[in-house]
Amino acid sequence: MFHQLRPDHHQLRLLDLRLERDRALERELRDFRPHAVGIACAFTSEVLRIRAVSAVVRGILPKAFIFLGGHDVTRTPTHFSHLHCDAVVTG
């Protein structure tokens, strides 16, 4: 699916926090300074970690648009509130 994305003058970076070293997210956010950040939550066991990740994003980039998606977000969007994101993507 990645090959179908068309950035049209937008820059895009993907970061897999399951594989990255400590502080990779913070370094990447400070270096790249994205306007929008998408976070995937595939399993209920990840909810607390996703909330923590969104708090890190919000702390470093308070004006960034944060959106959440994934299986658990689609199944139970009520796990998240406006404190964690600006929008949820379901489906």
Side-chain angles (χ1 to χ4, degrees), residues 1 4 9 22-24 29 32-33 43 47-48 50 52 54-55 61 65 67-69 77 79 81 88:
M1 179 168 76
Q4 295 177 359
H9 306 291
D22 293 339
R23 301 283 191 204
L29 291 173
F32 188 51
R33 312 268 331 146
F43 305 102
V47 169
L48 295 178
I50 297 307
S54 68
L61 301 170
F65 185 84
F67 58 98
L68 304 178
H79 281 170
S81 72
V88 295

Side-chain angles (χ1 to χ4, degrees), residues 48-84:
L48 295 178
R49 186 174 66 84
I50 297 307
R51 288 178 183 170
V53 167
S54 68
V56 168
V57 174
R58 191 67 81 207
I60 294 173
L61 301 170
K63 294 184 179 186
F65 185 84
I66 300 173
F67 58 98
L68 304 178
H71 299 296
D72 194 65
V73 174
T74 296
R75 187 177 52 82
T76 318
T78 55
H79 281 170
F80 306 94
S81 72
H82 69 282
L83 298 174
H84 307 109

Side-chain angles (χ1 to χ4, degrees), residues 1-7 12 14:
M1 179 168 76
F2 181 73
H3 69 280
Q4 295 177 359
L5 297 174
R6 293 187 172 183
L12 174 69
L14 299 175

Side-chain angles (χ1 to χ4, degrees), residues 12-27:
L12 174 69
R13 292 190 189 177
L14 299 175
L15 186 66
D16 188 338
L17 295 179
R18 295 170 298 174
L19 303 175
E20 296 293 335
R21 297 175 193 239
D22 293 339
R23 301 283 191 204
L25 175 62
E26 292 92 333
R27 283 191 306 273

